Amino acid sequence: MMKDPLLFDFGIGKNFESWTIVNDGVMGGLSQSKASLDADALLFTGNVSLKNNGGFVSLRSAMGKYDLSAYSYCEIRFKSDTERKFEVLIEKDTQFYLPKFRVKFAADSKDWQTVTIPLRDFEISRMGSTIQKGIDPVALKEIQRIGFILADKQEGAFNLWIDYLKFY
């Protein structure tokens, strides 16, 4: 029996209220970001600063139990006004110093686009550095939080519109 997809569908009256911003200010950085809803998408916007050892902004789901072990793919419908590389972030453990699962995606135009990423393409990283390629399927049973991060070591403003994030 196929498991129903896990869908975060953004827009007014849809998923969003429990998502939060986590920026490099937790470590002294000066980057800023915010998230808001429009009619049919979430707008994640801000400015990345490298001052005070900064360099990242993120938007993360509520803490929970997300069993992704039955899924093989992650799909995102989005658009951006920049070609910067954003990442989908999957956290088994939420302490900042423990490894996370991440995969990059980038806009190739300013139009809406959909990307499908095999979960096997995620990398295990710690503090932004890749530890190994691939993801342990057993670890996918115990995910606590899902999100988006921009940590490309580039200063500047960005806008990312996200229609939905789906695991299937």
Side-chain angles (χ1 to χ4, degrees):
M1 184 170 146
M2 286 290 281
K3 187 173 180 179
D4 289 338
L6 173 61
L7 176 65
F8 299 97
D9 187 11
F10 300 110
I12 294 174
K14 298 179 182 177
N15 278 334
F16 176 68
E17 52 283 329
S18 58
W19 287 63
T20 59
I21 296 291
V22 179
N23 294 333
D24 57 18
V26 298
M27 301 180 325
L30 300 174
S31 299
Q32 297 178 351
S33 69
K34 64 181 180 176
S36 59
L37 294 177
D38 69 16
D40 218 18
L42 175 147
L43 171 58
F44 179 41
T45 185
N47 187 63
V48 175
S49 170
L50 301 179
K51 295 182 173 127
N52 285 6
N53 296 315
F56 81 87
V57 293
S58 70
L59 175 64
R60 302 181 193 198
S61 72
M63 297 292 289
K65 293 185 183 219
Y66 302 99
D67 182 353
L68 303 180
S69 63
Y71 306 125
S72 299
Y73 299 96
C74 168
E75 183 177 286
I76 310 156
R77 184 168 188 267
F78 72 100
K79 68 180 180 177
S80 180
D81 63 355
T82 178
E83 294 179 5
R84 294 174 74 173
K85 291 188 177 175
F86 297 88
E87 297 176 70
V88 175
L89 179 67
I90 300 175
E91 297 178 283
K92 179 179 175 237
D93 301 294
T94 57
Q95 293 86 356
F96 74 91
Y97 55 87
L98 293 176
K100 316 283 184 229
F101 306 117
R102 297 160 69 144
V103 68
K104 292 181 175 153
F105 67 97
D108 59 10
S109 76
K110 293 181 180 182
D111 297 324
W112 284 104
Q113 55 196 292
T114 303
V115 295
T116 301
I117 304 164
L119 290 180
R120 70 178 177 272
D121 288 355
F122 277 69
E123 300 175 343
I124 300 171
S125 70
R126 182 176 176 276
M127 306 284 289
S129 297
T130 300
I131 296 172
Q132 73 181 50
K133 304 267 185 197
I135 191 168
D136 178 4
V138 174
L140 290 173
K141 288 179 138 325
E142 304 169 353
I143 301 306
Q144 292 186 31
R145 192 163 54 185
I146 299 166
F148 299 95
I149 189 166
L150 178 57
D152 60 358
K153 298 180 176 42
Q154 294 180 46
E155 288 193 314
F158 71 92
N159 290 302
L160 173 67
W161 290 265
I162 305 162
D163 180 5
Y164 67 82
L165 171 64
K166 176 170 62 172
F167 293 89
Y168 63 98

